[in-house]
Amino acid sequence: MSERGNGVVGLGEFGLIDRVTARLSYGPTVLLGPGDDAAVVAAADARVVASTDVLVEGRHFRRDWSAAQDIGHRAAAANLADIAAMGARTTALLVALCMPPELPPGWAEELADGLAAEAAKVGASVVGGDMSASPTLTIAVTALGDLGGRAPVTRAGAKPGDMVALAGRTGYAAAGLTVLSRGFRTPRLLVEAHRRPEVPYPAGPAAAGAGATAMIDVSDGLLADLGHLARASGVAVDVRREAFAVPRQMRDAAQALGVDPYTWLLTGGDDHALVATFPPTAVLPAGWQPIGEVAAGAGVTVDRRQWEGPAGWDHFR
């Protein structure tokens, strides 16, 4: 079939679906993959953890900054991290793709490659979804997860006296976004962090096993997301600035761009680190580092002082 105008319109919806699904593989939890009205995924725990996230071109990503595979990795990571933050492991992803008709079919295929590769890091599979024409390129991903017999770790269980700990890194993706927005492509460490986050997926179930009392994915900024946890738990959280080392590349970029690097570290999103609270006597699993404490009260402070400025990303600002 002719790919008229080098766009997906030349293939048609089902032609593109055939090309994309031909690139996917499926793990043992997938009992029925794409091709029917719905997929069937095993749920051995008898409970399913579910999360969804949406990326809109111009709001969450730019094609001149990131390749299709990069965007696929980012779209999957946003959902995989949410499942990990509940103490669960992702089993399957569903993807809805709305795209301009002139978009090259190869772009959608490469997006699927990125989605599948990121999902494979946790043993999950892309099992279906939907496609439609749209003037704005939009990617919506839904993740399904398995708790493995454990209780979910919510945002609402932190108690005064708990320690606050972090798994993964913060500030790297935000620094990369700032670098790109100023017209630069280096330092590569920061730019690549914006394109493809490095998410500590196993740290979520490990924290659940170690007795974490509350947990959340850092998608909008550490202080902002700790604010959600503090509100849900009815507590106050204090973060120690000294717990965060500024890497050399970030320090150099901050100096060149006139930015306080702690703004990136404490309020930057999209690295998808995990932050959790643990009983004060808990032994932290590998990869978790203490960064603060939980106290009676409300709100989030840094070194017991109010943070001046935005605490993180707001999707409506």
Side-chain angles (χ1 to χ4, degrees):
M1 182 180 290
S2 170
E3 295 182 11
R4 177 164 52 90
N6 293 322
V8 295
V9 68
L11 280 176
E13 177 185 359
F14 298 105
L16 182 60
I17 288 173
D18 288 343
R19 279 179 51 162
V20 167
T21 55
R23 307 171 78 91
L24 303 176
S25 59
Y26 310 103
T29 59
V30 180
L31 306 181
L32 180 65
D36 218 302
D37 290 320
V40 180
V41 180
D45 184 81
R47 298 169 297 175
V48 176
V49 182
S51 177
T52 193
D53 203 78
V54 63
L55 275 70
V56 180
E57 183 175 21
R59 183 68 175 172
H60 301 103
F61 66 88
R62 283 176 46 168
R63 279 185 281 162
D64 58 331
W65 287 355
S66 300
Q69 283 197 30
D70 296 329
I71 296 166
H73 278 272
R74 282 190 65 199
N79 289 270
L80 297 173
D82 281 336
I83 300 298
M86 301 298 292
R89 181 183 63 83
T90 305
T91 56
L93 297 180
L94 297 163
V95 182
L97 177 60
C98 301
M99 59 202 132
E102 67 274 10
L103 189 76
W107 193 94
E109 291 177 300
E110 291 173 13
L111 175 77
D113 289 345
L115 286 159
E118 191 70 24
K121 294 180 180 180
V122 298
S125 307
V126 179
V127 298
D130 195 18
M131 293 182 179
S132 179
S134 169
T136 302
L137 179 57
T138 304
I139 307 154
V141 181
T142 296
L144 307 177
D146 182 358
L147 285 162
R150 294 180 298 271
V153 183
T154 71
R155 303 175 181 183
K159 299 175 178 61
D162 283 354
M163 69 175 114
V164 180
L166 180 74
R169 61 191 192 182
T170 63
Y172 285 68
L177 176 61
T178 304
V179 166
L180 287 165
S181 68
R182 301 286 181 91
F184 301 103
R185 295 295 185 270
T186 58
R188 186 175 179 83
L189 173 70
L190 304 180
V191 171
E192 290 303 316
H194 168 74
R195 290 172 174 157
R196 296 191 187 188
E198 295 184 4
V199 186
Y201 301 118
T213 54
M215 185 159 47
I216 190 170
D217 154 50
V218 183
S219 57
D220 295 330
L222 179 64
L223 299 185
D225 288 314
L226 276 174
H228 301 322
L229 186 152
R231 280 192 295 275
S233 296
V235 296
V237 171
D238 184 65
V239 173
R240 295 192 304 272
R241 185 183 175 108
E242 66 178 15
F244 298 85
V246 182
R248 177 183 56 80
Q249 296 94 327
M250 186 181 294
R251 183 177 63 249
D252 292 346
Q255 184 175 5
L257 298 173
V259 177
D260 178 357
Y262 285 95
T263 300
W264 289 331
L265 290 166
L266 296 177
T267 71
D270 287 337
D271 284 296
H272 298 293
L274 301 178
V275 65
T277 57
F278 294 84
T281 57
V283 177
L284 295 180
W288 285 91
Q289 299 296 327
I291 62 167
E293 297 82 28
V294 179
V300 179
T301 54
V302 179
D303 294 334
R304 306 199 182 282
R305 295 182 180 179
Q306 194 72 32
W307 176 261
E308 298 296 332
W313 172 260
D314 186 325
H315 292 269
F316 288 93
R317 291 181 181 171

